[in-house]
Structures are given as C-alpha cells and as structure tokens.
C-alpha cells in the first residue's frame, strides 16, 4: 500500500490518504515518528503495525488530556477510553499510565478523602460509597475510610449540628431525630453522632404555639371535645413535643370553649 496524500488538519493533526481509497488520522508526532510521507510504500503487516501504534499513541494522549485537570481512577479511565478503543489497547494504555504514575487508585482514594474532609460536610461512609463506585480495591477503601473516620472530631460534628439547628423550626426532639437521620445519609456513623453536644439553649415555644394552632385549625373542622384533644396530642407528639407541654397548653383552654372553639 502506498501513501498518496498527507493533508494537514487542525490541532497538529493530519489525515493520511492511501492509494486504496482508505484514510486515517495521525498526530504530527506520529507522522514524523513513522515517516508517513507521500509516495511511501507500506507492506500489509507494516501498515497494520503503524495503525495500531498510532492508535496506541492517540489513546495515551487522550488519557493524558483526561487527567490533565483532575485525578482519575482506573475505572474512570477505562470507561472514558472504551468508546474509542478495544480492550487490549485500553489495557496497554492503562499499564503505561500506571507505570508512569498517572493512574494510581491508592493516590486517587487518598486525594478524594482529603478533599471530602476539607471541602464537604460528608462523612467516611460517603467516601466508602464513592470509592466502591470506582471499583477501588477493598483494602485501599478500608484504609482511607478508617483514616477519614479518625479525622472526624466533636468540632466537625457540632459545626454540622449548629448549621442545621439554625434552620430548624419545631421541637428539639424532632431536630435531634432529623439531624441523626441526615448525618447517617451524609455518611456518618453512630460513633460520630455520639460526639455531638445536644445541650443547646433552644426555645421551641414559638414553634410549638404555631404547630398547636395549625393542628387545632385542621382537626376542629371534624372533631370536638375529647376526640379533638386526642388528635392534637397525637399530632404534636409525632412532631416531637413533650406530653407535659401539650397538656399544659390544653389545660389553659376551657373545656366548654374547646367544644365550641371559634375560629374568628
């Protein structure tokens, strides 16, 4: 086979046209490296070797571009290359990247751990979930999750609590339940939630009064007397308010007035 034409494209790329009507693209470095010049004759085996070598070079360059601005796991890299290259070529490329230190799952896991500790409010088990998605080796996962867990302290946990408490409107008991649930979802464990100081000076009175009025208006449309009180008690206790607080509020309402509670 003979090269008939070498056409310059964009970004230092060339299109090599063969005498049988086929063509392929190659970077400028490959053109020089494999002497891809017009009139050059390539035997069939040599031609296939050149094509494979060029593909290998392109896969490597593409991979370097992918990690040029962010660390990548090996599974990410394989997925990225899968659309354009066959498995054997990907294996060769990954091996080279490993040998040159560009792909290293241990470094990736440690970097992700450090980033999550420093810049997010997520916990160790969120890191574990993320690393498993990237098919990181279990030993590497365990090492970094344990390291993350060891860096979680009372200061971090109470900061998370304070942030959520500023937004909470309701009972303090409900806040504690919701906070624990939220922290578990964020990847923290019981040992981390146990670090939190819940001795807050939180006044739930205004929230209680609003909730009381809300449920009173809701249930008095269908209930009166004892049945209405029971509905109120159940609803307010589900919201986390104490039984004594609820009874105190109910005790301040005359029974006869309660029977005929005037919405106006």
């Amino acid at each position: 086979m003979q090269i008939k034409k070498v056409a310059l494209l964009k970004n230092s790329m060339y299109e090599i046209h063969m005498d049988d009507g086929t063509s392929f693209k190659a970077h400028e470095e490959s053109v020089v490296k494999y002497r891809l010049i017009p009139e050059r004759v390539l035997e069939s085996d040599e031609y296939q070797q050149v094509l494979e070598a060029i593909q290998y070079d392109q896969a490597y360059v593409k991979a370097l571009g992918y990690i040029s601005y962010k660390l990548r796991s090996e599974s990410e890299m394989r997925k990225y290359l899968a659309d354009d290259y066959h498995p054997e070529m990907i294996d060769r490329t990954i091996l080279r990247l490993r040998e040159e230190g560009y792909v290293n799952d241990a470094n990736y896991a440690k970097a992700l751990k450090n980033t999550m500790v420093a810049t997010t409010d997520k916990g160790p088990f969120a890191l574990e979930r993320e690393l498993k998605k990237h098919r990181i080796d279990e030993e590497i996962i365990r090492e970094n999750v344990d390291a993350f867990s060891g860096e979680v302290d009372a200061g971090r946990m109470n900061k998370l609590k304070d942030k959520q408490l500023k937004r909470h409107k309701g009972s303090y008991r409900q806040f504690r339940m919701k906070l624990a649930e939220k922290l578990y979802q964020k990847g923290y464990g019981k040992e981390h939630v146990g670090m939190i100081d819940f001795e807050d000076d939180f006044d739930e009175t205004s929230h209680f009064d609003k909730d009381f009025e809300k449920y009173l208006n809701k249930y008095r449309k269908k209930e009166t007397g004892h049945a209405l009180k029971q509905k109120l008690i159940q609803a307010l206790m589900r919201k986390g308010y104490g039984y004594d607080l609820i009874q105190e509020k109910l005790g301040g309402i005359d029974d006869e007035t309660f029977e005929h509670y005037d919405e106006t």
Side-chain angles (χ1 to χ4, degrees):
M1 299 179 67
Q2 186 178 49
I3 299 175
K4 299 299 292 183
K5 179 182 177 182
V6 179
L8 176 63
L9 304 175
K10 295 180 180 179
N11 300 320
S12 300
M13 293 296 293
Y14 287 80
E15 186 164 23
I16 316 302
H17 296 266
M18 308 302 295
D19 61 355
D20 65 351
T22 62
S23 65
F24 60 92
K25 294 178 182 178
H27 191 269
E28 182 178 51
E29 291 182 3
S30 296
V31 171
V32 174
K33 183 177 180 180
Y34 304 112
R35 295 194 310 110
L36 303 178
I37 58 177
E39 307 303 323
R40 184 185 172 195
V41 176
L42 296 170
E43 297 297 331
S44 180
D45 289 347
E46 185 182 13
Y47 176 64
Q48 291 301 322
Q49 289 173 3
V50 167
L51 288 181
E52 185 171 345
I54 288 174
Q55 188 179 51
Y56 175 54
D57 290 343
Q58 290 174 343
Y60 176 73
V61 170
K62 183 175 182 177
L64 290 182
Y66 191 48
I67 60 177
S68 62
Y69 56 94
K70 181 183 176 182
L71 279 178
R72 304 288 181 177
S73 65
E74 183 174 316
S75 67
E76 275 185 296
M77 185 61 73
R78 288 185 179 279
K79 185 176 180 180
Y80 179 67
L81 296 174
D83 289 339
D84 298 314
Y85 304 99
H86 58 77
E88 184 181 347
M89 184 63 66
I90 294 174
D91 287 343
R92 286 182 60 194
T93 305
I94 293 293
L95 178 59
R96 180 176 177 183
L97 293 170
R98 276 203 221 121
E99 290 174 345
E100 295 177 355
Y102 291 118
V103 169
N104 185 309
D105 279 351
N107 291 342
Y108 174 85
K110 185 175 181 179
L112 182 59
K113 184 268 292 184
N114 291 339
T115 297
M116 290 181 69
V117 169
T119 66
T120 78
D121 60 2
K122 295 181 180 179
F125 301 118
L127 172 65
E128 182 176 23
R129 291 193 292 266
E130 189 66 23
L131 294 178
K132 283 184 175 180
K133 285 197 306 185
H134 289 265
R135 300 180 181 179
I136 304 297
D137 181 79
E138 185 62 34
E139 186 175 342
I140 295 175
I141 293 177
R142 192 77 273 131
E143 178 184 347
N144 284 277
V145 170
D146 289 347
F148 190 162
S149 186
E151 294 182 44
V152 175
D153 57 14
R156 182 183 182 91
M157 299 310 298
N158 281 297
K159 185 176 180 180
L160 291 171
K161 178 207 68 174
D162 292 341
K163 180 179 179 181
Q164 296 299 319
L165 188 58
K166 289 179 181 178
R167 305 172 181 173
H168 181 68
K169 296 179 180 180
S171 73
Y172 193 69
R173 184 182 300 172
Q174 182 192 53
F175 165 71
R176 290 186 61 165
M177 293 174 60
K178 285 189 172 182
L179 177 66
E181 181 181 356
K182 191 176 188 70
L183 291 174
Y184 293 146
Q185 291 173 350
K186 285 182 174 291
Y188 294 96
K190 289 183 179 180
E191 66 273 25
H192 306 122
V193 176
M195 297 176 179
I196 298 175
D197 176 11
F198 284 107
E199 299 298 323
D200 296 290
D201 184 19
F202 181 76
D203 185 6
E204 63 182 29
T205 305
S206 62
H207 303 306
F208 171 76
D209 290 339
K210 289 179 182 178
D211 283 335
F212 185 92
E213 290 299 321
K214 181 179 74 173
Y215 287 115
L216 180 61
N217 290 332
K218 176 181 178 180
Y219 293 121
R220 68 181 174 183
K221 296 174 183 178
K222 295 183 179 180
E223 307 287 353
T224 58
H226 180 72
L228 175 54
K229 288 184 178 182
Q230 288 302 114
K231 287 281 188 179
L232 277 170
I233 291 171
Q234 292 170 6
L236 292 168
M237 289 191 71
R238 284 197 299 269
K239 293 284 286 185
Y241 295 108
Y243 182 77
D244 291 342
L245 178 62
I246 299 170
Q247 286 292 355
E248 182 181 351
K249 182 73 173 181
L250 290 173
I253 301 176
D254 184 84
D255 285 343
E256 185 177 350
T257 303
F258 202 91
E259 285 282 350
H260 307 284
Y261 200 88
D262 187 357
E263 190 173 349
T264 59

